[in-house]
């Protein structure tokens, strides 16, 4: 019996989406933008010390290979010919920092994740070196000096890991964000792998001049980063190299975008003033500012949005970054255990329909935009005996919406023209309670595409449109018209403002919880070795001091 004929679908484009919590590979029809198949693998995060967040680069790479192979197997079972996959795009968690040995291909240290806080003292030491009247770092990069970005993570690794220092001295070390690590390996690794990144990822390192679109020697000297370990910077849409192994061997890798830029492209926000918000581990609101850099006066970042071709101009964006969004749901599931699956939070929140005056500020990694306050820590306040896990679940969802409102307010001030609606994407947008809350708290409509995988779609669009591939047209008249789901505000503006102002009070209470500590003083084993008497005497001293300050005899 003859084998069934493969379905005539195509041309197809694949997209690697390498996120903080998982890796996915998705395949799209380039003519219709329909998603044909995908596979996802969840990833491990390591927390070796308080505030440290790491991942194994080899686990990340292996997850990419696994997702590609499993997706291809699924397509084959659907009778779809995978030889029609003409290009692959890569999108990735940004700022996460990897250093590896170019001779062996082995990572020289774990990937230091964008959420990691170990570099706070490094940041404070660097801040002292910036002239008060000339913040050349921010003017060149569009970024505030923060633990968030790659340069300070790289500086910490160079200062603290002898294995890396030795590799740099011997000319064996390569640095990259996750996109660089993946592309280098997928295009051959030690056997001629391409060491590159794109402008969107480079713009998140604090080593890249967003005006000249080049690595900046003054910035590299400031951070004391050797320029020879940096990847070559390319546009977001061109052929970087070919897949050198696996089922898709020989297929060009021709798109590369940081995940938030990929979502901006996937939402088709190509016009100045268009904005999108992605709800993932964190929450990221980007507004396209066209071919000009707009510098924020309200705590937002200026970043490269995309450059869709080597000879095309770069487009820029204002960005508001929230560190903890979906991560708060994972925390409720894995750390606290009030839900067994992420989807359960919607059921709990819908059951009560209110937080009953409970507010949750999930500042687990400090506060990002618009505050940039590393001393903040998470708090739950407004508790009474009536509060139960359902109210806390509702407050957790509200926290995502309130943080988005703070960023939207800042963006409206910087842009001068308030957004009339907000386009949204990301896995969390499947939560209808969250989406309705977001519309209520913003008091503008929230618009959601039927397919939330816009990050993958953006990476696929960039790859398929690349010169030499040309299977995806980015002309406005050729882009698919998508019917959106719309959430309208359902509460009065006065109620919205009361809840928002109370949230602001909670945010203020979350600040100032930590001060810079030496690694030794933050080591919990020190406290475990102290005698019980130390804590009793310390407690008495603090109690007496508090009574004295309060005027209590």
């Amino acid at each position: 019996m003859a084998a069934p004929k493969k379905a005539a679908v195509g041309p197809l484009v694949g997209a690697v989406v390498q996120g903080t919590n998982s890796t996915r590979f998705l395949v799209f029809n380039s003519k219709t933008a329909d998603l044909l198949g995908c596979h996802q693998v969840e990833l491990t995060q390591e927390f070796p010390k308080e505030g440290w967040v790491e991942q194994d680069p080899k686990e990340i790479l292996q997850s990419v290979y696994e997702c590609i192979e499993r997706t291809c197997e699924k397509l084959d079972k659907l009778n779809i010919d995978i030889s029609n996959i003409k290009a692959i795009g890569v999108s990735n968690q940004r700022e996460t920092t990897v250093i590896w040995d170019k001779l062996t291909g082995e990572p020289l240290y774990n990937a230091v994740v964008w959420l990691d806080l170990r570099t706070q003292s490094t940041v404070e030491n660097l801040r002292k070196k910036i002239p008060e009247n000339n913040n050349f770092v921010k003017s060149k990069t569009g970024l505030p000096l923060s633990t968030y970005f790659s340069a300070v993570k790289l500086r910490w690794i160079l200062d603290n890991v002898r294995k890396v220092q030795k590799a740099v001295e011997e000319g064996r070390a390569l640095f990259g964000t996750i996109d660089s690590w993946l592309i280098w390996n997928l295009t051959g690794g030690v056997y001629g792998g391409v060491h590159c990144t794109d402008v969107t990822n480079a713009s998140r390192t604090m080593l890249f001049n967003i005006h000249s679109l080049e690595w900046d020697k003054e910035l590299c000297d400031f951070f004391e980063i050797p320029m020879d370990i940096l990847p070559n910077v390319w546009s977001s849409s061109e052929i970087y190299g070919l897949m050198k192994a696996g089922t898709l061997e020989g297929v060009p890798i021709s798109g590369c975008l940081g995940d938030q830029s990929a979502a901006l492209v996937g939402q088709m926000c190509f016009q100045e003033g268009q904005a999108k918000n992605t709800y993932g581990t964190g929450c990221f609101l980007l507004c396209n500012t066209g071919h000009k850099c707009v510098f924020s006066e309200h705590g937002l970042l200026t970043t490269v949005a995309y450059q869709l071709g080597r000879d095309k101009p770069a487009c820029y964006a204002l960005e508001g970054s929230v560190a903890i969004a979906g991560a708060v749901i994972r925390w409720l599931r894995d750390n606290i255990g009030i839900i067994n699956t992420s989807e359960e939070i919607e059921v709990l929140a819908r059951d009560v329909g209110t937080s009953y005056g409970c507010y949750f500020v999930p500042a687990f990694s400090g506060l990002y935009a618009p505050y940039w306050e590393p001393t903040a820590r998470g708090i739950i306040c407004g508790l009474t005996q009536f509060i139960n896990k359902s109210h806390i679940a509702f407050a957790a969802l509200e926290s995502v919406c309130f943080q988005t409102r703070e960023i939207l307010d800042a963006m409206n001030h910087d842009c001068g023209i308030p957004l009339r609606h907000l386009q949204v994407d990301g896995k969390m947008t499947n939560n209808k309670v969250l989406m309705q809350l977001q519309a209520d708290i913003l008091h503008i409509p929230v618009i959601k595409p039927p397919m939330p995988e816009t990050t993958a779609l953006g990476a696929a669009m960039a790859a398929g449109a690349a010169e030499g591939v040309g299977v995806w047209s980015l002309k406005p008249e050729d882009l698919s018209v998508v019917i959106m789901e719309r959430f309208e505000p359902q509460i009065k503006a006065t109620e919205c403002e009361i809840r928002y102002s109370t949230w602001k009070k909670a945010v203020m209470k979350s600040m100032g919880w930590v001060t810079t500590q030496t690694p030794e003083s933050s080591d919990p084993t020190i406290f475990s070795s102290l005698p019980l008497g130390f804590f009793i005497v310390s407690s008495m001293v603090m109690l007496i001091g508090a009574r004295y300050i309060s005027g209590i005899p």
Side-chain angles (χ1 to χ4, degrees):
M1 183 176 175
K5 189 176 180 181
K6 295 291 183 183
V9 179
L12 311 178
V13 180
V16 172
V17 179
Q18 204 301 294
T20 315
N21 294 320
S22 69
T23 298
R24 305 189 298 285
F25 184 69
L26 305 92
V27 174
F28 296 89
N29 183 324
S30 66
K31 299 304 179 188
T32 63
D34 289 337
L35 175 60
L36 303 178
C38 65
H39 188 79
Q40 176 171 323
V41 172
E42 194 160 306
L43 295 170
T44 306
Q45 291 181 26
E46 299 175 24
F47 307 95
K49 292 185 182 180
E50 174 66 29
W52 293 29
V53 189
E54 298 181 359
Q55 289 180 302
D56 179 356
K58 292 173 77 172
E59 181 191 358
I60 290 172
L61 177 62
Q62 184 54 43
S63 72
V64 172
Y65 285 125
E66 181 180 345
C67 286
I68 291 173
E69 294 305 313
R70 297 292 85 79
T71 302
C72 288
E73 288 172 7
K74 291 177 180 180
L75 292 177
D76 193 57
K77 288 178 181 177
L78 293 171
N79 219 27
I80 294 172
D81 190 351
I82 60 173
S83 69
N84 282 330
I85 298 176
K86 303 302 182 185
I88 296 170
V90 174
S91 83
N92 56 284
Q93 52 171 309
R94 303 170 302 170
E95 299 94 19
T96 297
T97 299
V98 187
I99 301 185
W100 67 96
D101 189 320
K102 67 181 178 183
L103 300 182
T104 66
E106 291 293 311
L108 294 165
Y109 193 70
N110 266 350
V112 179
V113 177
W114 57 277
L115 283 165
D116 189 280
L117 289 175
R118 77 186 67 185
T119 55
Q120 186 54 43
S121 58
T122 306
V123 167
E124 291 179 7
N125 290 333
L126 288 166
R127 190 171 284 132
K128 295 171 187 174
K129 294 169 56 178
I130 299 177
E132 286 187 20
N133 61 347
N134 178 23
N135 190 343
F136 66 94
V137 176
K138 187 168 185 179
S139 64
K140 288 188 174 191
T141 66
L143 310 174
L145 195 56
S146 165
T147 59
Y148 184 15
F149 306 107
S150 307
V152 292
K153 302 179 193 300
L154 180 52
R155 181 67 262 150
W156 186 94
I157 294 170
L158 291 171
D159 287 338
N160 291 278
V161 184
R162 178 58 193 148
K163 189 175 179 181
V164 172
Q165 295 166 356
K166 192 168 186 292
V168 171
E169 291 163 6
E170 295 174 359
R172 295 183 283 110
L174 295 179
F175 153 78
T177 42
I178 293 295
D179 58 306
S180 299
W181 165 246
L182 295 180
I183 292 173
W184 186 80
N185 279 285
L186 295 175
T187 57
V190 295
Y191 303 106
V194 179
H195 187 214
C196 69
T197 188
D198 89 301
V199 291
T200 68
N201 283 294
S203 74
R204 312 298 293 192
T205 61
M206 296 201 90
L207 302 172
F208 186 73
N209 188 315
I210 61 173
H211 309 285
S212 66
L213 302 181
E214 295 175 330
W215 299 122
D216 189 284
K217 186 176 187 308
E218 184 181 19
L219 291 171
C220 291
D221 289 345
F222 174 74
F223 288 102
E224 298 180 64
I225 304 295
M227 296 184 75
D228 59 354
I229 70 172
L230 304 179
N232 293 316
V233 183
W234 296 30
S235 78
S236 308
S237 178
E238 58 183 296
I239 296 175
Y240 312 111
L242 306 180
M243 287 282 291
K244 289 295 174 66
T247 304
L248 299 183
E249 184 176 358
V251 175
I253 300 173
S254 53
C256 179
L257 290 153
D259 50 9
Q260 304 313 318
S261 289
L264 193 74
V265 172
Q267 286 269 31
M268 301 175 201
C269 294
F270 295 125
Q271 301 300 314
E272 187 175 335
Q274 287 185 297
K276 67 88 203 172
N277 197 31
T278 298
Y279 299 75
T281 299
C283 210
F284 303 89
L285 178 55
L286 269 70
C287 180
N288 189 330
T289 63
H291 301 309
K292 63 180 184 295
C293 293
V294 175
F295 283 85
S296 173
E297 296 180 1
H298 299 89
L300 303 181
L301 312 177
T302 304
T303 196
V304 179
Y306 52 82
Q307 184 190 13
L308 297 176
R310 185 180 299 183
D311 301 322
K312 301 286 177 63
C315 283
Y316 297 89
L318 275 174
E319 175 177 337
S321 308
V322 170
I324 303 295
V328 75
I329 298 174
R330 186 166 176 164
W331 180 81
L332 290 174
R333 184 193 71 187
D334 298 344
N335 293 38
I336 307 302
I338 70 170
I339 53 175
N340 294 315
T341 67
S342 298
E343 290 72 27
E344 285 179 32
I345 196 167
E346 182 175 4
V347 178
L348 288 180
R350 187 187 295 113
D351 284 346
V352 287
T354 175
S355 68
Y356 204 79
C358 169
Y359 287 83
F360 189 164
V361 182
F364 302 154
S365 297
L367 291 168
Y368 284 10
Y371 300 102
W372 298 105
E373 182 49 73
T375 69
R377 286 297 178 272
I379 63 169
I380 302 176
C381 56
L383 296 175
T384 68
Q385 286 179 309
F386 182 76
I387 296 295
N388 60 36
K389 65 179 183 180
S390 296
H391 298 111
I392 292 172
F394 193 96
L397 294 183
E398 261 193 331
S399 75
V400 176
C401 301
F402 284 131
Q403 290 179 97
T404 299
R405 165 73 186 269
E406 291 186 303
I407 289 171
L408 192 73
D409 284 355
M411 200 162 278
N412 285 340
H413 281 113
D414 283 326
C415 294
I417 304 173
L419 288 178
R420 295 178 182 175
H421 65 262
L422 182 65
Q423 293 176 229
V424 299
D425 59 78
K427 188 175 180 181
M428 287 184 78
T429 62
N430 292 327
N431 186 324
K432 293 185 183 296
V433 172
L434 175 69
M435 292 295 95
Q436 186 56 57
L437 269 173
Q438 189 67 89
D440 290 343
I441 288 167
L442 297 181
H443 221 68
I444 59 173
V446 167
I447 297 176
K448 172 185 175 293
M451 196 275 294
E453 295 286 4
T454 53
T455 301
L457 181 60
M461 290 166 66
E467 184 178 347
V469 178
V471 297
W472 206 308
S473 172
L474 298 184
K475 295 177 181 176
E477 62 270 21
D478 294 333
L479 294 173
S480 301
V481 176
V482 179
I483 299 172
M484 303 284 197
E485 187 175 2
R486 191 177 178 97
F487 296 83
E488 298 283 350
Q490 292 182 355
I491 66 172
K492 293 180 180 178
T494 50
E495 181 186 345
C496 166
E497 293 310 310
I498 290 169
R499 286 160 64 178
Y500 184 48
S501 63
T502 310
W503 157 264
K504 288 279 198 179
K505 283 171 60 179
V507 170
M508 291 301 110
K509 292 181 185 299
S510 77
M511 295 184 185
W513 281 91
V514 292
T515 55
T516 304
Q517 297 173 313
T518 63
E520 291 79 13
S521 67
S522 62
D523 188 343
T525 60
I526 288 177
F527 294 100
S528 65
S529 67
L530 291 172
L532 178 61
F534 171 86
F535 295 101
I536 295 172
V537 172
S538 298
S539 299
M540 290 176 65
V541 169
M542 286 188 285
L543 178 60
I544 293 167
R547 290 170 67 89
Y548 176 79
I549 292 167
S550 303
I552 302 171

